[in-house]
Amino acid sequence: MKKPEFFLKIKPTISFILILLIASVIVITLSLQYYFSKDLAFNATENNFKITAEKIEQKIITFDKSNSDILTTIIHSEEMKVFPKVGENHRLLKQLTVILENKKHIYAIYAGNKEGEFFEVINLNVSEKLRAKYEVSNEVKWLIIKIYEEDGKKVKYEEYLDKDLVILKTLKKKTKYNPSIRPWFKKAFSTKNVIKTKPYKYTNFDELGITYAKKIKNSDIVLGVDVLLNSISTFLDKQTHIEDKQILIFQEDSKIIAAANLANNTKTVPYKQLIAFSKDKKIQTLNFNLKLEKEYFVYYSVIKTEFKNKDYLAILIPIDTIMKPFIDKIYNSFLITLLILTLTIPLIWYSTRVLVEPIQKLEKENEKISNRKFDDVKVIDTKIKEYHELSLSLHSMSVSIKEYELKQEELMDSFIKLIASAIDAKSKYTGGHCERVPVLTIALANAASKSQEGIFKEFNLKTKDEKRELSVAAWLHDCGKVTTPEYVVDKATKLETLYNRIHEIRTRFEVIHRDLTIKMYENILLGANKEKEEKLLKEEHKKLFEEFKIVATANIGGEFMDEKDIEKIYEISQRKWTKYFNDTLGLSQDELSRVEDKNRVFPKEENLLVNKKEHLIERKHFSQEEFEKFRFKMEVPEYLYNLGEVYNLTIKKGTLTEEERFKINEHMIMSIKMLEQLPFPKILEKVPEYAGAHHETLIGTGYPRKLVKEQMSIPARIMAVADIFEALTAADRPYKEAKTLSESIKILGFMVKDKHIDEDIFKLFLTSGVYKEYALKYLKKEQIDEVDISKYL
């Protein structure tokens, strides 16, 4: 293998792809730009809001001072201590209306005393709602309220004046209003200073306002001014040149007293949240959600005035609005960066090719190892030293894996053949079956692969792994036979268990034979005719020999047992013989547990042939749930074995009882259980399927799962033909003679008609000559005869 003349180090090679780092650097740069821009934007916004807050605070201070000054100005006038009667104008009415005219935010000026007398001047022009409430025309401008006592009752007079202070209309009403019990009166009466109430809704109309009040010195009169807060909101509107900016002034109870750009239904603020954030009462910033859809930047401060009740200011603006100019710049930067990256793509592609191509080649070589194509793995051509060494290592690894896998396969195949050999060696009558079925199966499968016609059109054992998978299945197709008792497999006679019980039956005949002879001599001694007794004994002995011959013949078994022969067995079974020795002595615990009558009296007369309860061996440890789990559909006999003598001798076909036949067929159940629990690799995953169906038929009459043709793969159906043909031609079965080649083919033909085996596979078996090749190698010379395959095609 020729090595490259020189090698590149992987580190220098990376210099070709450093351009990829540009993207990371730019992303970090843009992120930092966004972070610092956000910090800058927040600082700028805070400074801007701080200036706005100072202006608003100065406005509130000026607002409070202006209203306090009005009270201070008029409170020193002695005329304010006089309450005019109906039809009389207050001496300071002109001055009061001038104040109201100049101070549009003042809704009313009034005075009340401790006796409940009250005088008020209201500017009706401050609100259309007010004019609508009192239902007055545009001619009416002023409303004078006078309350005092007449004839011991409180009376309220409403005087409506025009702009020249001429009374246009006077209304008299009963009233319970007493100024002396109002909060503003009580609070002002108890102090020397001007008081300022909390905001509240005026009863005359739906507007928010504040009352400023002060007691007139050396009197029981309190002077008050009602101020509308909408003028503050108007001022705040002028500070919101940014569309999304919101300004609100609120008090400790969280109620908003003035606002700009705020939704009409917003009446309170999260005051506690603001206060908790600003415990030190300093100017702070806070990000929080004011029950709005966006996240807001909030500036908060306390407005300090001469009054005890404090006002609080909050200025809000969406963070998106603050960041928009900066985001636009960052977006432009991103577009420029994207353009630069786009222009560098060809360079990046060229620079990375030198690294990527060897990796891709190595990946393909690795795929070959994954697919177990070890012979195809090659060393890649590259000038990068590390890649070259990795390729050499990969090639070396593929060689090692191949060698290891071959050894593992060899070990596994040897172990499988060892199991099959053990099964064959278990019985002298089935020796070689597990070895011959794989030969026949693979030969037939190879013929199917070459055919490519009919059902074999898409069938092909393409790879070595596929052939091995079928071969392993064929070797293990009868692995369940390791659990089948040898005496059942080898049962050559009907009475055979671990031994042929015909000897026990013969002994009984011998006992009867001797008993008959003894009886004859006893009769002669008693005076019976000797010639007559000897003749009678001879006839009885002859009959006894004939009966034993019938029993012995029945014991051999055959293709079919006639009903007359069965009846004869039942008849013979009724013959009596006498037992003198206790037959419960010397038994094993298991045998003794099956004996029904343990207290027998001897001598005892008994039938010559019997079916006893102790002949019934119960089926233990059987799980129906497990049976169904594996989808087995065989009829399970009630007993594990029935050793009854009459029961066994009357078997109609062969030598096996129903229980013994199930025990032999059960080898398929055990085979499937064993194989399906083995962790086969992917290349052998179909072994249980192929091996577990060779006793199924095409119409669901087989076992153990009663599969039909559509549920069986072609390899499974091939194995069924191979298994049957090997069994038919085998010369080592105890219950039948070896069939000739033509007889075996004929039986297979019948099985095709009965839909027990696949017709296409049977025809291929004949036309391909597989049957003949197998016969020449494995059948005895006398078994091989001429076969006219045209009869079956």
Side-chain angles (χ1 to χ4, degrees), residues 362-395:
L362 284 169
E363 185 179 3
K364 289 180 180 178
E365 297 307 308
N366 190 55
E367 271 183 32
K368 293 176 184 177
I369 296 176
S370 298
N371 295 328
R372 301 172 57 251
K373 297 178 180 177
F374 306 113
D375 294 332
D376 297 338
V377 178
K378 294 180 175 57
V379 177
I380 64 168
D381 183 18
T382 176
K383 294 184 181 298
I384 299 176
K385 182 178 180 181
E386 287 81 358
Y387 287 166
H388 177 72
E389 291 176 350
L390 180 59
S391 180
L392 288 174
S393 175
L394 201 64
H395 183 267

Side-chain angles (χ1 to χ4, degrees), residues 24-41:
S24 302
V25 172
I26 291 173
V27 169
I28 295 170
T29 303
L30 291 176
S31 300
L32 290 173
Q33 185 179 347
Y34 175 81
Y35 173 79
F36 291 122
S37 297
K38 184 176 181 179
D39 191 52
L40 180 65

Side-chain angles (χ1 to χ4, degrees), residues 197 214 709:
T197 66
K214 183 174 174 61
K709 182 177 181 179

Side-chain angles (χ1 to χ4, degrees), residues 197-218:
T197 66
K198 289 185 177 182
Y200 63 95
K201 288 277 182 71
Y202 291 129
T203 56
N204 284 339
F205 63 110
D206 188 24
E207 286 289 351
L208 197 65
I210 296 175
T211 296
Y212 294 85
K214 183 174 174 61
K215 180 186 173 187
I216 298 177
K217 194 175 181 181
N218 300 324

Side-chain angles (χ1 to χ4, degrees), residues 730-764:
D732 48 15
R733 299 300 164 99
Y735 47 82
K736 69 174 186 64
E737 294 182 359
K739 304 287 184 188
T740 64
L741 188 56
S742 61
E743 286 175 330
S744 301
I745 297 296
K746 185 177 181 180
I747 292 171
L748 286 179
F750 287 136
M751 296 182 79
V752 167
K753 290 179 181 179
D754 293 337
K755 297 190 180 300
H756 284 186
I757 61 174
D758 191 289
E759 182 178 6
D760 293 301
I761 294 174
F762 173 61
K763 289 180 178 179
L764 177 69

Side-chain angles (χ1 to χ4, degrees), residues 19 37 44 49 63 90 116 196 405 408 530 595 686 749 774:
I19 193 168
S37 297
F49 284 2
F63 185 77
H90 197 285
K196 177 182 177 183
E405 190 173 274
Q408 289 296 102
K530 181 181 178 184
V595 175
K686 293 180 181 178
Y774 176 83

Side-chain angles (χ1 to χ4, degrees), residues 520 530-540:
M520 179 199 72
K530 181 181 178 184
E531 292 180 2
K532 185 177 180 181
E533 287 294 326
E534 287 177 347
K535 181 181 179 183
L536 184 62
L537 177 63
K538 189 175 182 180
E539 289 174 355
E540 286 293 327

